[in-house]
Amino acid sequence: MQRREFFKTTAILAGSAALTNVDAAEQVEITQPIDNRPVADIAFPQKQPLITHSDRPPLLETPRKVFAHPITPNDLFFVRWHMPLIPTYINPHAFEITIDGLVNNPLRLSIDDLKKRFEAVEITAVMQCGGNSRSAFHPTAGGIQWGVGAMGCAKWKGARLKDILAAAGLKPGAAWLTLDGAEKPVYNQTDDFKRALEIDRITDDMIVAYEMNGEALPYLNGFPVRLILPGIYADSWMKMLRRITVTAKEPHLHFMEHAYRIPDNDCECELPDKLYPKTKPIEKMNVKSLIGFPENGARIRKDTEMIVRGVAFDGGDGIARVDISTDGGATWQEATLDDGKAGRYAFRAFRYAFTPTQMGEIRIMARATNTKGETQPFAHEVKWNRGGYKFNGIDEVRVEVIT
Amino acid sequence: MKRKIVTTAALLVIASQSTFAEHKGIKLPHMEFPMAKGEGMYATKGMCNMCHSWGYTINQGKQSKAFWRKKVRKMIDVFHAPIKDEDVEVAVTYLFAHYGNGKEE
């Protein structure tokens, strides 16, 4: 039997074996996320064409190759809105953020106030949707079936959230913030997208940003201001931030209680037919890396040097090393990291020079380890959760070596 | 001289306008996410395309009947979609016929 034929037959056999199983509950399986979606032929405002999951609300994903570099340009930065009604015009001279609730001096701050009254702080930080790479989870987890690109890293500039709250003067007992942006649901019975943040958890790195990579923020990334919470998943990085309300008690908010939550157990995991009853917010990002080059399906020449490039990051402990495998995970070699000067919340660029000496398909993998020794599991070792959050399986691309 | 002052003033106005006339806002493009033709399409369109695009729905990929039933119920129970109980199966049947994976469960 020809080798090809043999593969075909086994594939069919495996297929029929799987078929006999279908009446049983769908098996939990974690794979690599979907990685073959093309960018759309239409560009959204201020953006290059991106992988477009929806236009109302806009859901735009950054293609893999952008992650060959540690800063994600504004026009390639992913976009995720919850509600389809987004202001399409904001007058930056009339726009105000209200700070009210349990404060001594309720404030209405214009963008100019933010720039003039408060020290400007710059921080390079990764913004990642908690559901990034959700399409890795089977059975399908609830939410957008993102591939690898619901993340990006930008240099943000703005005023410290702490300084703004200090100017408003917190009253005794102040413990929670409710964050509200300008997006609105179409149907008035649908809950508004609001998020809560515990005041105790606010750090000096959290800013209200009016600049992204040296420019005003693109509308679709939250012009004129959005909250930046380095190290934490993007769900509370409120876009078009309009109001911050201070309360003593934790507010009851639909999108805090029903979304962006994972099982509150050690493995943060559960089974589709045995959901874990207690849940907690996703919050701090786990260690992860992504190969920007080469991409899946790339063809590279034998005996020709190629440089594997990508980015690694975590929740702010800092990346210690990235290892590369060119044999599907059997052996690993350390990649070279950039100088790390962009800080512990930024993408850390890695590169690894490699000259393939054999023809055929090879599987290239990247695995990051942070300063606490936390590392990435193989994709198939990642555990399932109903929301498909926090995927951080070792990234893999398959390339073909040709003569 | 007088003329020169006028020109300078005009230039200043233009310059300040160009810094202030930052933006006229954006226009979001419409994208077609065509619905598969078949029984229940128009009814489903009416039920499902009110709050978000069809792209948002089919982004889930091919799924079981139970999956689609759960999704439609989620829209009603969680987001208060104004869908009548008796219409649920219309949407589920349409979704499963065109965006189904052949499995009931």
Side-chain angles (χ1 to χ4, degrees):
Chain A
M1 197 192 285
Q2 292 282 308
R3 203 177 135 84
R4 250 230 171 80
E5 285 284 299
F6 169 78
F7 274 130
K8 247 194 205 155
T9 326
T10 16
I12 291 164
L13 282 175
S16 58
L19 269 178
T20 56
N21 257 334
V22 290
D23 31 336
E26 204 180 333
Q27 292 301 304
V28 167
E29 192 190 2
I30 317 295
T31 61
Q32 289 294 323
I34 296 176
D35 195 39
N36 57 2
R37 295 183 178 116
V39 299
D41 49 7
I42 297 177
F44 275 65
Q46 307 170 325
K47 295 285 172 184
Q48 293 186 38
L50 297 171
I51 299 163
T52 304
H53 296 271
S54 161
D55 59 344
R56 301 282 185 288
L59 303 173
L60 313 177
E61 181 178 331
T62 304
R64 175 186 283 277
K65 66 175 181 213
V66 176
F67 303 110
H69 304 283
I71 288 289
T72 314
N74 291 2
D75 58 353
L76 292 166
F77 215 97
F78 87 101
V79 168
R80 190 313 189 223
W81 292 81
H82 295 78
M83 302 296 159
L85 292 187
I86 307 164
T88 52
Y89 174 69
I90 284 175
N91 179 347
H93 308 292
F95 187 90
E96 283 182 333
I97 307 177
T98 302
I99 294 99
D100 59 6
L102 268 187
V103 293
N104 294 316
N105 334 295
L107 298 176
R108 296 173 76 99
L109 298 171
S110 68
I111 308 304
D112 240 28
D113 292 336
L114 275 183
K115 291 180 179 171
K116 291 192 179 134
R117 286 182 54 183
F118 301 94
E119 185 190 340
V121 178
E122 280 190 315
I123 184 155
T124 305
V126 175
M127 175 166 77
Q128 181 185 209
C129 174
N132 189 22
S133 302
R134 180 178 286 122
S135 60
F137 291 87
H138 311 279
T140 306
I144 306 152
Q145 299 306 303
W146 296 111
V148 300
M151 66 173 193
C153 178
K155 189 175 191 182
W156 312 92
K157 183 175 173 183
R160 277 188 205 96
L161 182 56
K162 261 192 177 163
D163 295 349
I164 296 172
L165 294 177
L170 294 177
K171 285 191 174 164
W176 286 89
L177 305 182
T178 299
L179 311 164
D180 195 8
E183 64 188 299
K184 289 274 168 280
V186 172
Y187 185 55
N188 60 7
Q189 299 293 306
T190 304
D191 292 83
D192 221 354
F193 184 70
K194 287 186 190 160
R195 299 285 300 172
L197 183 65
E198 199 169 359
I199 290 175
D200 267 356
R201 304 205 44 214
I202 299 175
T203 65
D204 284 347
D205 301 314
M206 297 180 177
I207 62 173
V208 175
Y210 42 74
E211 250 182 56
M212 175 175 178
N213 292 327
E215 301 169 359
L217 279 71
Y219 265 77
L220 293 178
N221 293 112
F223 177 82
V225 279
R226 89 175 294 165
L227 197 59
I228 304 301
L229 307 175
I232 294 178
Y233 287 103
D235 36 302
S236 294
W237 295 39
M238 189 60 72
K239 294 180 286 296
M240 291 187 179
L241 179 66
R242 296 257 314 255
R243 184 179 222 106
I244 300 174
T245 304
V246 182
T247 56
K249 284 216 181 94
E250 182 174 1
H252 284 291
L253 299 171
H254 171 90
F255 280 94
M256 291 302 293
E257 285 158 18
H258 292 272
Y260 301 113
R261 299 184 75 87
I262 40 169
D264 190 5
N265 53 22
D266 287 343
C267 68
E268 300 181 341
C269 69
E270 58 195 343
L271 289 170
D273 51 1
K274 221 173 149 190
L275 298 181
Y276 195 74
K278 201 160 169 263
T279 60
K280 61 182 178 190
I282 50 176
E283 296 186 344
K284 190 174 173 180
M285 294 195 286
N286 52 18
V287 60
K288 190 166 177 175
S289 60
L290 200 85
I291 298 166
F293 181 84
E295 295 183 88
N296 269 308
R299 300 168 84 199
I300 53 177
R301 292 224 179 268
K302 181 171 166 286
D303 300 323
T304 303
E305 183 182 66
M306 67 178 293
I307 300 178
V308 178
R309 284 182 192 274
V311 294
F313 63 101
D314 72 345
D317 294 304
I319 293 301
R321 60 185 288 158
V322 172
D323 294 285
I324 302 293
S325 172
T326 54
D327 55 11
T331 61
W332 296 86
Q333 289 81 35
E334 195 167 351
T336 308
L337 298 181
D338 69 15
D339 61 17
K341 283 188 181 145
R344 63 200 172 103
Y345 294 113
F347 274 158
R348 194 88 195 260
F350 65 81
R351 76 192 134 81
Y352 177 75
F354 163 64
T355 304
T357 52
Q358 269 172 15
M359 307 248 288
E361 186 185 80
I362 52 172
R363 294 160 63 199
I364 304 176
M365 296 179 166
R367 181 184 66 199
T369 306
N370 71 5
T371 55
K372 283 165 82 178
E374 293 162 346
T375 190
Q376 300 179 249
F378 282 105
H380 67 84
E381 295 168 335
V382 171
K383 300 280 196 295
W384 191 87
N385 68 83
R386 75 191 91 165
Y389 293 118
K390 296 184 73 169
F391 174 84
N392 74 334
I394 290 171
D395 191 35
E396 171 181 336
V397 293
R398 292 170 186 243
V399 303
E400 197 190 345
V401 181
I402 55 173
T403 45
Chain B
M1 185 63 202
K2 205 171 177 189
R3 201 190 193 132
K4 201 166 181 190
I5 291 171
V6 173
T7 340
T8 323
L11 278 177
L12 279 174
V13 170
I14 292 168
S16 67
Q17 268 178 352
S18 64
T19 37
F20 280 90
E22 273 131 10
H23 238 280
K24 302 214 156 46
I26 55 166
K27 242 198 186 130
L28 291 177
H30 265 285
M31 276 193 61
E32 272 307 311
F33 293 97
M35 292 181 78
K37 293 210 166 49
E39 206 183 318
M41 180 185 90
Y42 289 104
T44 307
K45 193 176 189 173
M47 287 183 256
C48 303
N49 293 5
M50 159 184 175
C51 301
H52 48 68
S53 67
W54 187 242
Y56 210 143
T57 300
I58 59 174
N59 167 260
Q60 301 294 302
K62 292 193 180 299
Q63 296 292 351
S64 71
K65 198 165 198 171
F67 177 95
W68 284 123
R69 191 173 289 118
K70 255 201 234 154
K71 263 314 152 203
V72 177
R73 285 260 42 121
K74 177 179 175 185
M75 296 306 127
I76 300 170
D77 300 337
V78 180
F79 303 120
H80 311 294
I83 297 172
K84 293 196 209 92
D85 281 347
E86 59 263 35
D87 291 337
V88 168
E89 284 309 304
V90 177
V92 172
T93 307
Y94 169 79
L95 283 159
F96 184 58
H98 301 282
Y99 305 94
N101 62 5
K103 303 177 194 175
E104 286 288 323
E105 285 300 315

